[in-house]
Amino acid sequence: MLGYGNISLDLLLPYAMGLDLFDRIDSLEQARNRLLALVEILKASSLLLDSHEDRDKFVRMHDVVCNVVREIASKDPHPFVVREDVGLEEWSETDESKSYTFISLHCKAVHELPQGLVCPDLQFFQLHNNNPSLNIPNTFFEGMKKLKVLDLSKMRFTVLPSSLDSLTNLQTLRLDGCKLEDIALIGKLTKLEVLSLMGSTIQQLPNEMVQLTNLRLLDLNDCKELEVIPQNILSSLSRLECLYMKSSFTQWAVEGESNACLSELNHLSHLTTLEIDIPNAKLLPKDILFENLTRYGIFIGVSGGLRTKRALNLYEVNRSLHLGDGMSKLLERSEELQFYKLSGTKYVLYPSDRESFRELKHLQVFNSPEIQYIIDSKDQWFLQHGAFPLLESLILMKLENLEEVWHGPIPIESFGNLKTLNVYSCPKLKFLFLLSTARGLPQLEEMTIEYCVAMQQIIAYKRESEIQEDGHGGTNLQLFPKLRSLILYDLPQLINFSSELETTSSTSLSTNARSEDSFFSHKVSFPKLEELTLKYLPKLKDIWHHQLPFESFSNLQILRVYECPCLLNLVPTHLIHNFQNLKEIDVQDCELLEHVNILQENDGNVEIFSKLETLKLKKLPRLRWMEDGNDRMKHISSLMTLMNIQNLQELHISDCSMEDLRKM
C-alpha cells in the first residue's frame, strides 16, 4: 500500500476508519484532523515526504523507508504482507499465509485467482490488478470473515462475488474504477461505513442500499455513467457525513418523481462534506439547509476544480430569485467563488450580505453584463469591518458594464492579502485602482490586464498631493512591493501607468495622463518585478522615465514588448545599469523603434547585459545596426559584441533593416 509513488491522504482516511485506528473519534472530520496531525509528525521525522504534486492531498515515502517499513511489518504480531506477481495458488496453501492480518497484492501478470484464501485473522485486503479479464471466484472471501477493509479497485464485475455477503464485519469497501453492473449484494454489508465507487461505470444504484444505515462516507465522484439513483436512497443514509458526487450524477428530479431529488439532502443531519454538480439553479429547493457543511464543492450549472475546502460555482444564477437562505449562508462562508452569467444585481457583494466573503480566498466573475461593481464599499458596515481580508486571487472577465472594481473608499484591512489580479475584457473601465486602494495591496505578486479598450491608466490619483507618503518625500509611490509579473495586453487607450484622475471634463483625463512623457513615471518603483510584458499599447512612446528611483526594476528578468507602433526606444543607454538582471529581451512589431540598447560605454568601460540568455528582435523596420561595438552610439551593438555576451544562448533577428549608422 505504501511506497508505490504518491500516497493519497483521501485514500488513507477510509482505510484508517475501516480499521478503527483512531480512538475516541466521533466524526470523519475529527478522524481527518487526527490523520493530518500524524502525517505531520511523520514528515517531521523524515519518514514521509511532501508530494511533488498537491501537498494537501498527497505525501511520499522514500524507497529506503518503504523497504524498512515492510520488513518491520512482516515481523509484526499482526503481519502485513505486500506481494508482487506472486503465484497465489501455491502461496495461499502455506501455513504462513493464514496468520496475516494485512495483505496487499499487486497482480500484474496473474490470470487466475484461487477459489479462496484461508486467512481467519485478515482485516485488510487490497488487490491491485492490471488484467481486465481477471475474475474473482464466488467463494474467494469465505475464509476471511474478520475482514474490515476491502479494496478491489479496477476490477470487472458483472455481479459481485457471492461470498462477499459473508463479510459481515466489513466497514470499508473500495470499488474505484471498476466495471460494474449489478451491485445489489452491497445491501447485505450492513456494517459498512465507507463505500467508494469513484470512477466506476455504475449506471444505477440498487434499492438495497437503503439498508446501509451505518454508511458515513459515499464516494460517487467521476461516475459519469450514473443516471439512476432511486428515490429515498440518499435520505435513508441517515448517518452519512461525506457525500462526493462531483462529475457524476446530474439527473436530479423534482419532488414526486422516481429519481433522487436534492431535498433528500435535508434528511442528512450529519452531513458535513459535500461535492456535487447541479445542472440548474432552479432545481434547488428554497428550503435546502446545508447548515452543517464544513467542506463543500457545489457546482451549479458548471463544473470546476477544488483548491480550497469550501467552493461554490454558480452559472446563470439570478441572485434575486434562485438562492434561498441555505445557499446564501454558503456564500458567506465560501473560500472559493465563481460566478458565471450572474444576474439580478449590479454588485457581486452588496450590503445585505454583511458577513459575506470574510473567508474568501479566490473570486472569479465571468460574463455578467449587469455587474457594475464588485463591492459597494460606501456602505457604513463595510467601512467599519472591511471586506475580502483573506482574498488571494481576483479574476474578472468579460464584464461589459463594470465601471469600478470597488465603488467608494476601500476600508482598512480590505484586499490586503491579494496576490493575483487578472482583468480581461472590461470595456468600461477607465482605470483600475485609486492610489489609496493600490497602497493597500502590499502582497500583490501578479497583475494581468487585457482587452480593456477604455483604460487610460492603471493607477489614478485625485491630486498631486495625494502622492505624498511619509518617509519618501513624495518621490516614490512604493506600490506593489512584491509584484513579480505585470502583463498589459491590448489596451489601446492606455497612456501611462499612473496619472491624475479627471476632475472637470471628459477630456481632462487624457490631458493629465499625457503630462508624463514616459509610461512609468519617476515616482513608480517595482523592486521585485521579474517579468514585464507590454502588447498592443499603441500610445506607448517611452517605457521608462529618464530618472528611475533607486533599485527600480532592478530585478527585471524578462522584458517582452509586442505591437507598440509608437515606441521609440526600448532602454535608454544611461539606464542600462538598472537592468543588469535581464535574461530575456523579446521585441516584435514595433514600427518606429530605432534603439535596442544592450551596452553602454562609460569612461572607457563597456557595460552590457551580462546575464542575457535570449534576444529576439522581429519586424522592427527602423532598427539601427552598427558594425563597431566600440563607437559611442546608443544603438544595438555589433554581432561581435553579441557574441561576447557569455550567457547568450538564443538569438533571433529577422525582418529588421539593420541600418549601418556609419553610412549616414
Side-chain angles (χ1 to χ4, degrees):
M1 179 177 64
L2 302 181
Y4 289 85
N6 284 327
I7 304 166
S8 169
L9 298 178
D10 290 336
L11 184 59
L12 290 180
L13 180 61
Y15 291 164
M17 291 298 297
L19 294 170
D20 298 317
L21 295 185
F22 301 133
D23 296 328
R24 297 182 296 278
I25 290 295
D26 298 324
S27 68
L28 286 174
E29 185 69 21
Q30 291 179 358
R32 181 184 287 109
N33 292 336
R34 179 76 64 85
L35 174 64
L36 293 176
L38 291 174
V39 166
E40 290 304 316
I41 292 173
L42 292 172
K43 284 183 183 179
S45 303
S46 299
L47 296 176
L48 287 179
L49 306 172
D50 282 324
S51 170
H52 294 309
E53 299 177 14
D54 191 334
R55 295 179 57 181
D56 294 328
K57 292 187 177 182
F58 296 94
V59 291
R60 293 180 299 123
M61 180 179 286
H62 194 282
D63 290 342
V64 173
V65 176
C66 181
N67 292 333
V68 172
V69 169
R70 289 168 60 173
E71 180 66 22
I72 294 173
S74 66
K75 299 175 182 178
D76 191 89
H78 306 285
F80 184 167
V81 62
V82 178
R83 297 291 181 92
E84 300 183 23
D85 294 334
V86 292
L88 292 183
E89 284 285 0
E90 296 80 8
W91 176 73
S92 63
E93 296 175 357
T94 65
D95 291 334
E96 178 188 13
S97 67
K98 297 178 181 180
S99 64
Y100 287 123
T101 306
F102 306 95
I103 296 178
S104 178
L105 301 177
H106 299 260
C107 302
K108 297 180 181 178
V110 174
H111 300 285
E112 186 177 358
L113 295 174
Q115 289 301 305
L117 294 180
V118 181
C119 301
D121 295 322
L122 193 64
Q123 296 184 35
F124 177 99
F125 182 76
Q126 179 187 53
L127 178 62
H128 280 185
N129 166 51
N130 289 347
N131 182 1
S133 63
L134 183 67
N135 292 316
I136 297 180
N138 277 325
T139 57
F140 188 77
F141 299 107
E142 290 179 353
M144 48 181 84
K145 297 187 183 298
K146 290 185 179 180
L147 198 65
K148 292 182 177 180
V149 176
L150 177 60
D151 185 343
L152 300 175
S153 298
K154 297 184 180 179
M155 298 289 292
R156 181 187 296 270
F157 297 105
T158 302
V159 179
L160 295 176
S162 58
S163 59
L164 202 65
D165 66 3
S166 65
L167 304 179
T168 56
N169 292 302
L170 196 66
Q171 297 187 95
T172 293
L173 175 61
R174 290 188 68 230
L175 299 174
D176 295 358
C178 288
K179 303 289 185 180
L180 297 177
E181 294 183 23
D182 182 2
I183 61 170
L185 191 62
I186 284 177
K188 295 186 178 182
L189 306 175
T190 55
K191 288 189 177 180
L192 206 61
E193 294 188 1
V194 176
L195 174 60
S196 180
L197 306 175
M198 181 178 65
S200 71
T201 62
I202 188 72
Q203 297 180 16
Q204 177 174 344
L205 296 187
N207 287 300
E208 288 79 0
M209 280 186 63
V210 298
Q211 302 171 60
L212 302 182
T213 54
N214 287 305
L215 202 64
R216 302 171 71 178
L217 187 154
L218 176 60
D219 192 343
L220 301 173
N221 274 351
D222 298 308
C223 293
K224 301 184 186 300
E225 298 181 33
L226 181 60
E227 295 185 350
V228 178
I229 299 179
Q231 193 176 18
N232 297 325
I233 282 184
L234 293 178
S235 59
S236 69
L237 307 177
S238 56
R239 291 192 62 195
L240 200 65
E241 299 176 39
C242 300
L243 176 59
Y244 299 103
M245 302 181 68
K246 187 175 178 296
S247 301
S248 183
F249 178 79
T250 58
Q251 305 300 313
W252 296 103
V254 295
E255 290 282 356
E257 296 181 353
S258 59
N259 236 350
C261 60
L262 288 165
S263 61
E264 291 188 44
L265 302 182
N266 279 341
H267 296 273
L268 305 179
S269 59
H270 296 282
L271 192 67
T272 59
T273 300
L274 176 65
E275 293 182 12
I276 192 171
D277 287 344
I278 302 171
N280 193 313
K282 296 178 181 179
L283 291 170
L284 282 169
K286 285 292 184 181
D287 62 346
I288 200 160
L289 299 177
F290 294 144
E291 57 186 7
N292 294 323
L293 291 183
T294 56
R295 296 173 180 266
Y296 53 85
I298 300 176
F299 305 93
I300 299 177
V302 61
S303 192
L306 281 171
R307 290 182 287 179
T308 62
K309 293 191 299 183
R310 297 186 293 278
L312 186 60
N313 285 18
L314 304 177
Y315 178 84
E316 290 189 336
V317 169
N318 187 317
R319 288 199 65 180
S320 64
L321 298 176
H322 295 150
L323 297 183
D325 289 341
M327 290 298 297
S328 295
K329 289 179 180 178
L330 291 188
L331 277 175
E332 296 172 7
R333 296 187 286 115
S334 292
E335 296 179 333
E336 183 178 350
L337 279 175
Q338 182 180 117
F339 296 99
Y340 190 91
K341 293 189 177 181
L342 180 66
S343 61
T345 176
K346 64 179 181 179
Y347 301 106
V348 176
L349 172 60
Y350 48 88
S352 62
D353 286 331
R354 295 308 183 191
E355 293 290 341
S356 290
F357 305 104
R358 297 291 296 173
E359 301 177 56
L360 189 62
K361 295 180 180 179
H362 307 283
L363 174 61
Q364 301 180 31
V365 188
F366 301 149
N367 289 65
S368 302
E370 293 183 29
I371 295 297
Q372 295 180 23
Y373 314 100
I374 303 304
I375 177 176
D376 181 9
S377 58
K378 292 185 298 183
D379 181 78
Q380 288 300 314
W381 189 91
F382 286 125
L383 289 176
Q384 295 175 10
H385 298 87
F388 301 110
L390 301 181
L391 192 69
E392 296 179 12
S393 68
L394 176 61
I395 299 176
L396 309 174
M397 296 183 67
K398 295 185 178 180
L399 305 181
E400 297 176 8
N401 290 296
L402 184 69
E403 297 178 7
E404 295 181 55
V405 176
W406 22 79
H407 187 43
I410 299 301
I412 298 174
E413 298 183 355
S414 298
F415 304 98
N417 201 44
L418 191 66
K419 295 179 175 65
T420 300
L421 175 63
N422 292 345
V423 181
Y424 178 92
S425 191
C426 297
K428 288 192 175 181
L429 272 181
K430 291 186 177 181
F431 63 91
L432 192 60
F433 305 109
L434 287 174
L435 180 58
S436 58
T437 302
R439 281 178 169 157
L441 304 176
Q443 304 298 324
L444 194 66
E445 297 179 2
E446 300 176 8
M447 186 195 306
T448 300
I449 307 170
E450 301 179 286
Y451 298 106
C452 296
V453 296
M455 187 168 290
Q456 299 187 20
Q457 69 233 91
I458 310 301
I459 308 296
Y461 46 89
K462 296 179 181 178
R463 56 194 178 279
E464 185 72 17
S465 61
E466 190 179 355
I467 297 178
Q468 296 296 325
E469 185 174 32
D470 292 341
H472 296 286
T475 61
N476 193 336
L477 292 180
Q478 289 291 306
L479 302 175
F480 318 130
K482 295 186 178 180
L483 190 69
R484 295 184 295 102
S485 173
L486 176 60
I487 298 174
L488 305 176
Y489 183 6
D490 203 339
L491 307 173
Q493 299 301 318
L494 190 67
I495 298 171
N496 51 33
F497 190 81
S498 60
S499 60
E500 191 169 342
L501 185 64
E502 62 177 284
T503 55
T504 58
S505 69
S506 59
T507 61
S508 60
L509 176 59
S510 298
T511 302
N512 288 330
R514 288 193 178 94
S515 64
E516 289 283 0
D517 293 332
S518 56
F519 183 77
F520 293 111
S521 77
H522 65 285
K523 303 180 181 73
V524 175
S525 172
F526 294 127
K528 299 294 183 182
L529 192 68
E530 298 177 2
E531 177 183 352
L532 175 62
T533 298
L534 307 173
K535 183 172 182 179
Y536 191 61
L537 307 182
K539 296 192 175 184
L540 178 67
K541 294 182 179 180
D542 285 298
I543 302 175
W544 328 98
H545 192 273
H546 68 276
Q547 184 178 359
L548 292 177
F550 178 68
E551 291 190 344
S552 182
F553 303 98
S554 60
N555 201 44
L556 191 65
Q557 299 176 34
I558 298 173
L559 176 59
R560 298 186 178 115
V561 182
Y562 310 129
E563 299 177 50
C564 295
C566 293
L567 182 64
L568 300 174
N569 192 353
L570 188 68
V571 179
T573 306
H574 69 281
L575 293 180
I576 285 180
H577 64 277
N578 287 67
F579 299 91
Q580 287 304 306
N581 285 308
L582 268 175
K583 294 182 179 179
E584 177 183 335
I585 296 177
D586 187 354
V587 188
Q588 301 183 32
D589 292 287
C590 297
E591 298 172 8
L592 298 182
L593 184 68
E594 294 184 356
H595 308 153
V596 179
N597 307 309
I598 63 169
L599 63 82
Q600 173 194 23
E601 184 168 336
N602 186 12
D603 296 330
N605 297 317
V606 176
E607 293 186 22
I608 198 167
F609 292 145
S610 59
K611 295 183 179 180
L612 195 65
E613 297 175 357
T614 300
L615 177 61
K616 297 180 181 179
L617 305 173
K618 298 181 180 180
K619 296 184 179 179
L620 308 175
R622 299 189 65 175
L623 181 67
R624 294 173 180 263
W625 180 267
M626 71 180 207
E627 294 295 336
D628 188 351
N630 294 320
D631 287 349
R632 295 187 179 184
M633 297 291 185
K634 296 186 290 184
H635 308 286
I636 190 167
S637 65
S638 67
L639 281 174
M640 185 63 67
T641 304
L642 292 176
M643 293 174 64
N644 288 332
I645 303 178
Q646 58 184 3
N647 290 310
L648 192 65
Q649 300 174 14
E650 189 175 356
L651 175 63
H652 296 277
I653 300 178
S654 62
D655 297 321
C656 300
S657 67
M658 317 281 251
E659 184 179 354
D660 187 348
L661 294 179
R662 294 179 302 176
K663 296 178 181 179
M664 294 181 62

